[in-house]
């Protein structure tokens, strides 16, 4: 299979798995959305589960690379620690339209977890959230070395930073409220202040 056709299939399959989940997605719908025949799917991947495994790993890797690039932009070179952390938190709160289908698929994975092979779940975590958390943790440890923060566990600090900023904004918006930019900045700034109270030198 040509690489461009393979990418079309993987992208189309993400959309199908995002809409229908693993259990309900059919080979026919996956083939139609990917612009290939069902025979091509069987020839290339053998079955739906192996296609799903490939889709999950490919999509998680791509989204992780975009997220790590965002983190590096704001945490890779600190000028004003508080302001840069606030900028990171606000950027992390923005929903990336290119990642929308991926996170819809992740929601389906969480809802259908009992029907998904453990190695697929482990592969998704390793390629996606675990990789991102580790990368941000390394950036925070670097800020410790530079004298900005006091970090004993980089990955735990990464979880705290994300949950106190973007996670707090998501918690408010998840109630059905529209979070205006000024309120979002206030929420993120408050979260950064709590983070700095724990981690600043």
């Amino acid at each position: 299979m040509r690489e461009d056709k393979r990418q079309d299939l993987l992208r189309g399959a993400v959309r199908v798995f995002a809409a229908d989940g693993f259990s309900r997605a059919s080979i026919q719908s996956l083939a139609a959305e990917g612009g290939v025949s069902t025979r091509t799917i069987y020839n290339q991947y053998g079955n739906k589960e192996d296609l799903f495994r490939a889709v999950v790993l490919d999509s998680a890797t791509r989204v992780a690379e975009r997220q790590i690039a965002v983190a590096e932009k704001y945490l890779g070179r600190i000028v004003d620690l508080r302001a840069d952390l606030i900028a990171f938190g606000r950027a992390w709160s923005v929903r990336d339209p290119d990642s929308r289908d991926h996170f819809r698929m992740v929601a389906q994975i969480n809802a259908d977890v009992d029907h998904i092979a453990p190695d697929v779940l482990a592969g998704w975590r390793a390629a996606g959230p675990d990789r991102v958390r580790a990368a941000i943790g390394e950036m925070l440890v670097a800020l410790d070395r530079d004298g900005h923060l006091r970090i004993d566990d980089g990955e735990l600090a990464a979880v705290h930073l994300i949950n106190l900023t973007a996670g707090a904004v998501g918690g408010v918006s998840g109630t059905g409220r529209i979070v205006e930019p000024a309120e979002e900045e206030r929420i993120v700034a408050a979260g950064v202040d709590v983070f700095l109270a724990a981690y600043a030198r």
Side-chain angles (χ1 to χ4, degrees):
M1 179 186 291
R2 296 201 322 263
E3 180 61 20
D4 59 336
K5 294 300 292 181
R6 188 181 77 87
Q7 291 300 324
D8 287 345
L9 172 57
L10 293 176
R11 301 295 193 283
V14 168
R15 293 190 291 271
V16 174
F17 288 128
D20 298 338
F22 171 72
S23 297
R24 294 185 303 278
S26 70
I27 288 290
Q28 290 75 20
S29 61
L30 290 162
E33 190 68 24
V36 299
S37 67
T38 57
R39 180 181 295 276
T40 297
I41 291 178
Y42 287 121
N43 287 343
Q44 293 294 319
Y45 295 99
N47 54 49
K48 184 174 74 170
E49 184 171 281
D50 284 346
L51 172 60
F52 183 64
R53 180 180 288 104
V55 168
V56 168
L57 292 178
D58 179 76
S59 184
T61 298
R62 290 178 182 278
V63 170
E65 287 170 354
R66 289 196 290 268
Q67 290 183 317
I68 291 169
V70 170
E72 287 175 340
K73 177 179 179 180
Y74 294 98
L75 303 179
R77 187 177 66 180
I78 294 295
V79 177
D80 179 319
L81 179 61
R82 182 175 183 272
D84 290 335
L85 291 177
I86 290 172
F88 165 79
R90 295 197 69 187
W92 207 258
S93 301
V94 175
R95 297 192 179 197
D96 175 12
D98 291 335
S99 302
R100 180 188 62 183
D101 287 333
H102 172 79
F103 287 111
R104 289 177 61 212
M105 181 174 67
V106 168
Q108 294 280 10
I109 289 172
N110 289 327
D112 206 21
V113 67
D114 291 339
H115 299 98
I116 297 172
D119 69 298
V120 175
L121 297 173
W124 157 59
R125 287 192 294 266
D130 290 355
R131 179 184 170 201
V132 172
R133 184 174 61 250
I136 295 175
E138 290 173 4
M139 295 176 206
L140 295 177
V141 168
L143 295 180
D144 175 296
R145 291 195 298 268
D146 292 342
H148 294 292
L149 298 173
R150 185 181 62 252
I151 303 291
D152 295 321
D153 184 330
E155 292 195 26
L156 180 59
V159 171
H160 287 158
L161 178 60
I162 291 169
N163 286 345
L164 287 167
T165 55
V169 173
V172 172
S173 63
T175 63
R177 290 179 53 202
I178 296 175
V179 181
E180 300 294 340
E183 182 180 13
E184 177 187 294
E185 182 163 9
R186 181 183 65 81
I187 293 169
V188 170
V192 167
D193 288 339
V194 173
F195 179 82
L196 289 175
Y199 289 105
R201 286 192 181 276

